Amino acid sequence: MEVYPFSITGLHTTPLGAERIRRNLDLEDSIDVVNFCRAFILEDFAKFERKGKNWYVNSGHIRITINANSNTIITAHKI
C-alpha cells in the first residue's frame, strides 16, 4: 500500500476552490473536482513537494496545491 504525505480520503475543497479548479483546468460543471484531483494524485508518476504550509503535487500536466494542515485542495493548474 502506498503512503502519501497527507490523507487521500480526507481531501476536500471549498465551493470557491471547486469553481477555481474547474476554470483553471477547463472542466465541466458535472465533474467532481476532488475525485478528479485524487485520481491524478494516485498516479504512479505523481511527485510530491512541500513548501511552507502547502503540498504541491505534479502529476502529468497538472499541478495541484493542497493545504498541509487542512487537506484542502486550494487550486490546480495546467503545467
Side-chain angles (χ1 to χ4, degrees):
M1 181 173 186
E2 189 76 32
V3 176
Y4 296 95
F6 46 82
S7 171
I8 292 294
T9 57
L11 287 176
H12 63 280
T13 194
T14 63
L16 286 175
E19 184 179 317
R20 183 173 44 250
I21 293 164
R22 281 191 187 96
R23 183 178 63 245
N24 291 346
L25 300 180
D26 298 321
L27 300 176
E28 296 178 12
D29 290 341
S30 61
I31 293 178
D32 180 336
V33 295
V34 173
N35 284 332
F36 182 88
C37 290
R38 186 179 288 127
F40 275 88
I41 293 166
L42 293 172
E43 291 289 340
D44 290 337
F45 51 82
K47 304 275 192 243
F48 302 89
E49 178 183 11
R50 182 158 181 180
K51 290 184 182 177
K53 64 180 182 175
N54 294 327
W55 282 102
Y56 296 91
V57 182
N58 291 321
S59 183
H61 62 283
I62 292 178
R63 183 175 196 179
I64 301 167
T65 305
I66 302 167
N67 181 283
N69 296 320
S70 65
N71 268 354
T72 304
I73 303 170
I74 299 167
T75 192
H77 295 279
K78 294 178 182 178
I79 52 173

